[in-house]
Amino acid sequence: MNNTAGPGDGRERGERRPRVRAFGLRTRLLAAFLLVAAVSAGTTATLTYREARNALLQTAQDTAVSTFREHVQQTGFGLPVQGEGVEEVLQDLARRGKPRPWVVFAEYGSVRVSSGENPVSTVITPELRRAALNNPYGSFQRVVKDGVPYLTIAMPTVFKTGPYSVLPSGLVLYAVMRLTDEQLNVDALLVAARDGALPGLAVALIPGLIAARSVLRPVRELSQAARSMGSGKLDTRIPVRGSDELADMARTFNKSAGQLEDSVHELREAEARARRFASDVSHELRTPLAGMLAVTEVLDEGADHLDADTARAVRLVSAETGKLAVLVEDLMEISRFDARAAELNADEVDVAEAIRKTLQTRHWDDDDRVRTDLPVGIRARLDPRRFDIVIANLVGNALRHGGAPVTVRLHTGERPSGTPVLIAEVADRGPGIRPESFPYIFDRFYKADAARTRSAGSGLGLAITQENVRLHGGTIRAGNAPGGGAVFTVEIPLHAETALRAEERAR
């Protein structure tokens, strides 16, 4: 069979849906995807912006520098430089500026002339003046003044003294050009890069969602399949898609689930066979045991007329036959619990009176070894026969393995949930229960004293007691009293409707 766990897999009504986590795997996957997309988009936008900006500025700069150098080399100046006549030459140079007109300044000693209104520029820096003196082929510098970008070019005039040597004349020409248009283009590139990155992130969200869904779908299916198997549907399987790691995980889960289903099926069959065997053996033994008990009773009555050795043998056979009969009855009872065939015939009873009848039937009411503290007026919905077994097993166990006197107390209380409960306690004055025995005290055939290989009971009394208490919807626990001795405490719902619901759950 191949059942896929999913929204329509017929989940039980009481099963909780998976809680949506604020920082679950989906959120982390989307965050990681968007982070990678943001870093990629940001890096791409930054590199594109930087390269485009450098290209724009480099183009304007190279054009201006080469044009200014060419014009300066083609213009002749008489030395020493006088202010008259130089201004017209500078204005002519300014008009021929590329990629746009310049403002040209000339400096010769203390002479300062320009093509503009001011003879001296506030944009030209001392660093550029020093570079012009040291480099006869010219220098340039980008400067920002009052938020406005400028390109400043320094070009000294020289005399050629040889094929590869020049001599500075002392006259330095400066060209100042605004880079406003280039800055506007750069700002436009920045806006375009930013506006292009944001939609890119939004578009990247779509493949991020698709990728997260493709990764999380097998994880959700695995989680749902695990919950389905936990609820007992061992035939649950996950559909295998593709051949990636997630598909390998689905195949591994399906293989493990199949092996688990086979193992559980074999265990259930073995358990069912064991239950049937115990039930069949117990049932088949009842008839011969009944005949043997009848014979041993006759032999017991005539044992006094036999010789001593024969009388001891007769009494031993009679005692062992009685133990075997008790064991068979207990095995049949426990097999009914295993087969879910035990029924609860509940009725409203006076609990104190029911306990007195149990003690009276077994002749413990006139025994100084058993004491009672049974308030009157406590009524509960119980199965009288099964409650009788609970009290009888606990008192008998205390008398056999504990110490007298054994005290039976009865009172009421409440569970933490507020449900009223009947509380019955059976305490003895023996050595108590060893700490290592507590986890196994209600196991079948468990003996707290490893040296005690045989006992008067069947070894199933406490296990049957626990099953009867559970059938009532109650609990039983074992402990030691502060003053010494073992204490067994039984709690059973007090109200009839609570007991009825417990009976329905047991069925």
Side-chain angles (χ1 to χ4, degrees):
M1 298 178 69
N2 186 12
N3 294 340
T4 302
D9 61 353
R11 286 189 287 189
E12 297 180 5
R13 185 173 298 177
E15 181 182 344
R16 290 185 178 180
R17 290 184 175 272
R19 185 165 54 108
V20 178
R21 296 174 176 85
F23 296 98
L25 185 58
R26 177 191 292 273
T27 304
R28 295 198 298 270
L29 283 173
L30 287 178
F33 196 92
L34 289 178
L35 179 61
V36 172
V39 171
S40 301
T43 303
T44 302
T46 301
L47 293 176
T48 302
Y49 165 74
R50 188 179 67 179
E51 293 300 322
R53 173 179 176 273
N54 291 340
L56 284 173
L57 295 178
Q58 188 71 32
T59 300
Q61 172 184 296
D62 292 346
T63 301
V65 171
S66 60
T67 303
F68 187 57
R69 179 183 293 113
E70 180 182 354
H71 290 338
V72 169
Q73 291 175 353
Q74 294 175 357
T75 303
F77 292 92
L79 297 177
V81 175
Q82 301 295 328
E84 297 81 4
V86 176
E87 183 176 348
E88 294 180 359
V89 175
L90 297 181
Q91 289 176 352
D92 180 62
L93 287 174
R95 284 192 298 269
R96 289 186 291 168
K98 292 181 180 180
R100 64 185 54 84
W102 309 315
V103 177
V104 182
F105 297 86
E107 295 182 0
Y108 181 80
S110 60
V111 177
R112 301 289 184 269
V113 184
S114 75
S115 64
E117 299 177 355
N118 298 320
V120 179
S121 172
T122 59
V123 178
I124 299 174
T125 63
E127 292 82 6
L128 184 61
R129 288 188 172 92
R130 287 193 295 270
L133 296 177
N134 297 326
N135 186 0
Y137 300 101
S139 302
F140 64 89
Q141 185 180 31
R142 288 199 292 267
V143 181
V144 178
K145 179 73 171 179
D146 297 331
V148 180
Y150 295 90
L151 175 64
T152 57
I153 307 171
M155 194 65 60
T157 59
V158 295
F159 298 107
K160 286 188 176 183
T161 58
Y164 303 104
S165 61
V166 293
L167 181 65
S169 66
L171 173 63
V172 181
L173 300 181
Y174 297 92
V176 177
M177 183 181 72
R178 284 175 176 261
L179 296 177
T180 307
D181 293 345
E182 285 75 11
Q183 186 62 42
L184 290 176
N185 293 333
V186 169
D187 293 342
L189 285 174
L190 179 61
V191 173
R194 182 192 63 194
D195 293 346
L198 293 179
L201 289 178
V203 173
L205 184 62
I206 297 175
L209 289 171
I210 296 174
R213 181 179 179 183
S214 63
V215 171
L216 290 179
R217 180 171 56 188
V219 176
R220 285 196 303 268
E221 290 175 348
L222 176 62
S223 176
Q224 293 168 355
R227 283 196 300 272
S228 181
M229 291 190 65
S231 65
K233 300 175 182 177
L234 299 181
D235 58 347
T236 301
R237 299 294 183 270
I238 301 176
V240 179
R241 304 180 183 90
S243 58
D244 55 8
E245 290 81 357
L246 295 175
D248 292 340
M249 179 186 68
R251 293 190 188 93
T252 302
F253 177 87
N254 291 341
K255 182 178 179 181
S256 302
Q259 294 174 346
L260 178 62
E261 183 180 12
D262 294 340
S263 299
V264 172
H265 181 68
E266 293 176 0
L267 289 174
R268 287 174 176 173
E269 287 185 345
E271 184 181 5
R273 287 194 299 268
R275 284 199 301 265
R276 285 195 302 270
F277 175 78
S279 178
D280 294 343
V281 169
S282 301
H283 186 271
E284 293 298 327
L285 286 175
R286 293 186 73 181
T287 301
L289 277 175
M292 291 173 63
L293 285 172
V295 173
T296 55
E297 287 178 2
V298 174
L299 292 176
D300 270 343
E301 292 176 358
D304 294 337
H305 305 292
L306 302 174
D307 61 87
D309 291 340
T310 305
R312 281 196 302 270
V314 167
R315 291 189 178 95
L316 178 60
V317 170
S318 177
E320 293 301 322
T321 303
K323 292 179 182 179
L324 182 58
V326 172
L327 175 60
V328 169
E329 291 296 330
D330 287 347
L331 282 173
M332 292 189 66
E333 182 70 10
I334 206 73
S335 65
R336 281 192 287 269
F337 283 111
D338 290 340
R340 310 285 185 185
E343 295 183 355
L344 188 71
N345 299 314
D347 194 9
E348 193 81 15
V349 299
D350 186 318
V351 183
E353 184 62 27
I355 294 176
R356 290 191 188 95
K357 287 182 180 180
T358 298
L359 300 179
Q360 183 180 5
T361 302
R362 291 157 181 83
H363 305 290
W364 291 332
D365 57 330
D366 54 356
D367 192 338
D368 292 338
R369 296 182 303 166
V370 180
R371 301 175 182 176
T372 59
D373 180 10
L374 307 174
V376 297
I378 299 178
R379 301 186 66 84
R381 187 174 182 84
L382 304 170
D383 185 327
R385 184 183 72 84
R386 297 190 180 280
F387 188 68
D388 172 80
I389 294 174
V390 170
I391 299 300
N393 283 349
L394 292 179
V395 174
N397 187 73
L399 290 173
R400 283 191 299 270
H401 309 301
V406 175
T407 304
V408 183
R409 297 185 181 89
L410 181 66
H411 59 97
T412 59
E414 283 189 358
R415 288 176 175 172
S417 61
T419 303
V421 292
L422 168 72
I423 302 175
E425 296 178 353
V426 177
D428 62 55
R429 302 296 295 176
I433 304 171
R434 293 184 299 179
E436 62 270 18
S437 298
F438 281 113
Y440 316 103
I441 197 68
F442 294 104
D443 289 357
R444 301 172 186 182
F445 299 108
Y446 175 75
K447 292 180 174 60
D449 186 1
R452 179 171 51 85
T453 58
R454 290 182 58 82
S455 64
S458 65
L460 296 171
L462 289 179
I464 292 175
T465 299
Q466 185 182 50
E467 294 294 343
N468 279 305
V469 172
R470 286 177 177 173
L471 199 61
H472 282 86
T475 58
I476 181 172
R477 61 181 182 274
N480 289 324
V487 180
F488 287 85
T489 304
V490 175
E491 292 185 3
I492 296 176
L494 191 62
H495 295 323
E497 57 272 15
T498 307
L500 284 173
R501 287 196 297 269
E503 178 183 353
E504 293 174 356
R505 287 196 300 270
R507 290 180 179 177

